[in-house]
Amino acid sequence: MYKVIERRMIVPNLHEFTVQAPAVAESVGPGHFVIVRPDAFGERIPLSVAGWDRDAGTVTSVFMQVGGSTAKLARLKPGD
């Protein structure tokens, strides 16, 4: 599991979150997707990469809360 650095609501049901994932940040590029699971039992969610910082080893995505798994993502807090 990767560590959540930040998660914020942009507008209701639209969230941005940043995770510490150095290996992913090193190899990600424009147009890439990441597969995210909110926990060990959650479904796999493909999300577009909205940004990354290779030096900090972070990757940022934006998602819309529409079901159970994205609701779990929306409840994550920094450090989770």
Side-chain angles (χ1 to χ4, degrees):
M1 293 293 224
Y2 293 106
K3 181 179 174 184
V4 175
I5 302 300
E6 179 183 17
R7 202 269 323 143
R8 69 181 181 99
M9 184 186 318
I10 299 170
V11 295
N13 293 337
L14 190 64
H15 302 267
E16 175 186 71
F17 80 117
T18 302
V19 295
Q20 183 76 37
V24 177
E26 187 62 36
S27 62
V28 74
H32 286 185
F33 287 79
V34 291
I35 301 295
V36 177
R37 287 176 44 184
D39 58 30
F41 305 103
E43 64 185 335
R44 295 164 38 107
I45 306 166
L47 297 176
S48 295
V49 174
W52 63 90
D53 183 334
R54 292 192 205 291
D55 295 332
T58 60
V59 177
T60 301
S61 290
V62 176
F63 67 93
M64 183 176 284
Q65 181 182 337
V66 293
S69 291
T70 51
K72 288 180 183 178
L73 279 180
R75 288 191 295 267
L76 293 176
K77 294 179 178 42
D80 289 347

